[in-house]
């Protein structure tokens, strides 16, 4: 059963703590993405990776970090430098090699800072 | 860079009516326009997309139209059902391997 999994579904963090969100895909997609979603707003791109061991900043990368050591995995770390981390975080993946960027999303992780 | 505007922000219809959501984009180089449906607490699901070399695409009760000259595209849902209630997002390709999303439309279908 192919797809994208994110864990955990809900995450609570105290101010000043770093936290890592997991994203795994078994679709054999080369590209992976992290988005942040706030109420009443669209999806904003945090980081994306087109290939293993390479990634680029999106529009709102400050306070976040990523790694891409395996094709299947693209974890996101929310650091204490992120001023307003409470949000819904979405991971997506897409195949490369086509001019059309069909992205498929995971179920999301809701992060709440206490 | 690409900018996508989406209207309306909320849309209420009666079951069986049609619903139309409109988006405009700014970058004439954009060539791919997907639509996503997001149910409460879940990730967005791709429901239909259109590429710049076609003007219209249909899939059962859902259709999308694209006007490249005016730089706008629309989602049409006919014979709406309560299970169509969700938030719908449009997007446009904003450069290689990137999508830029609209701010979403909350559709409510009342029985």
């Amino acid at each position: 059963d192919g797809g994208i999994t994110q864990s955990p579904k809900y995450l609570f963090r105290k101010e000043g703590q770093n936290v890592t969100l997991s994203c795994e895909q078994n679709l054999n997609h080369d590209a992976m993405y992290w988005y942040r979603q706030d109420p009443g707003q669209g999806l904003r791109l945090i980081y994306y990776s087109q290939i293993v061991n390479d990634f680029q900043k999106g529009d709102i990368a400050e306070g976040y970090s990523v790694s891409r050591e395996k094709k299947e995995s693209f974890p996101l770390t929310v650091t204490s430098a992120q001023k307003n981390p409470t949000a819904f975080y979405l991971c997506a993946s897409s195949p490369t090699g086509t001019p059309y960027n069909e992205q498929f999303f995971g179920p999301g992780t809701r992060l709440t800072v206490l | 860079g690409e900018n996508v505007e989406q209207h309306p922000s909320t849309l209420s219809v009666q079951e069986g009516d049609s619903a139309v959501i409109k988006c405009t984009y700014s970058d004439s180089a954009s060539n791919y326009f997907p639509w996503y449906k997001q149910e409460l607490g879940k990730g967005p699901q791709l429901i239909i997309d259109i590429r710049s070399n076609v003007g219209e695409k249909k899939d059962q009760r859902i259709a999308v139209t694209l006007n490249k000259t005016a730089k706008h595209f629309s989602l049409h849902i006919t014979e709406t059902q309560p299970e169509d209630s969700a938030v719908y997002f449009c997007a446009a390709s904003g450069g290689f391997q990137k999508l830029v999303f609209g701010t979403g439309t909350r559709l409510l279908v009342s029985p």
Side-chain angles (χ1 to χ4, degrees):
Chain A
D1 190 21
I4 304 172
T5 58
Q6 291 186 243
S7 60
K9 186 174 178 64
Y10 298 97
L11 189 57
F12 297 89
R13 186 195 95 175
K14 293 182 180 179
E15 280 193 32
Q17 290 181 336
N18 292 355
V19 63
T20 297
L21 283 59
S22 170
C23 178
E24 304 276 334
Q25 55 98 2
N26 61 4
L27 300 168
N28 199 33
H29 287 170
D30 289 309
M32 296 186 74
Y33 309 80
W34 274 105
Y35 292 90
R36 170 181 172 137
Q37 186 175 31
D38 295 285
Q41 297 193 34
L43 282 66
R44 293 185 290 169
L45 183 64
I46 304 172
Y47 269 97
Y48 63 105
S49 168
Q50 297 179 22
I51 197 168
V52 174
N53 293 322
D54 187 42
F55 48 83
Q56 289 79 40
K57 292 182 179 180
D59 301 318
I60 56 165
E62 185 176 351
Y64 300 97
S65 66
V66 294
S67 62
R68 187 85 188 276
E69 297 177 359
K70 297 187 300 181
K71 185 176 183 177
E72 302 80 17
S73 178
F74 191 40
L76 173 75
T77 296
V78 184
T79 75
S80 56
Q82 169 50 235
K83 295 178 182 178
N84 184 20
T86 295
F88 190 47
Y89 290 87
L90 289 159
C91 178
S93 70
S94 71
T96 54
T98 77
Y100 307 110
N101 189 4
E102 297 168 301
Q103 293 188 17
F104 300 92
F105 285 83
T109 291
R110 186 165 299 280
L111 172 64
T112 302
V113 175
L114 303 174
Chain B
E2 176 65 277
N3 182 52
V4 177
E5 294 189 357
Q6 181 171 348
H7 299 281
S9 57
T10 59
L11 179 59
S12 294
V13 300
Q14 293 290 318
E15 183 176 0
D17 289 349
S18 295
V20 180
I21 302 170
K22 299 181 179 181
C23 289
T24 59
Y25 62 98
S26 60
D27 188 352
S28 57
S30 290
N31 63 354
Y32 176 66
F33 308 91
W35 286 89
Y36 289 86
K37 175 183 180 182
Q38 185 177 29
E39 297 178 346
L40 190 63
K42 297 184 179 180
Q45 272 191 303
L46 179 65
I47 56 172
I48 195 168
D49 57 19
I50 191 166
R51 301 174 182 184
S52 59
N53 57 350
V54 297
E56 184 175 0
K57 182 177 179 180
K58 287 185 179 180
D59 183 4
Q60 300 183 340
R61 297 185 296 108
I62 293 174
V64 58
T65 58
L66 172 65
N67 183 327
K68 288 187 293 182
T69 303
K71 291 189 219 166
H72 66 71
F73 56 113
S74 301
L75 178 71
H76 304 254
I77 306 174
T78 59
E79 301 173 22
T80 54
Q81 302 167 2
E83 50 265 39
D84 294 329
S85 296
V87 178
Y88 292 80
F89 290 96
C90 64
S93 55
F96 184 67
Q97 294 295 318
K98 290 176 68 176
L99 288 176
V100 177
F101 287 81
T103 51
T105 295
R106 183 173 301 278
L107 174 65
L108 176 61
V109 181
S110 302

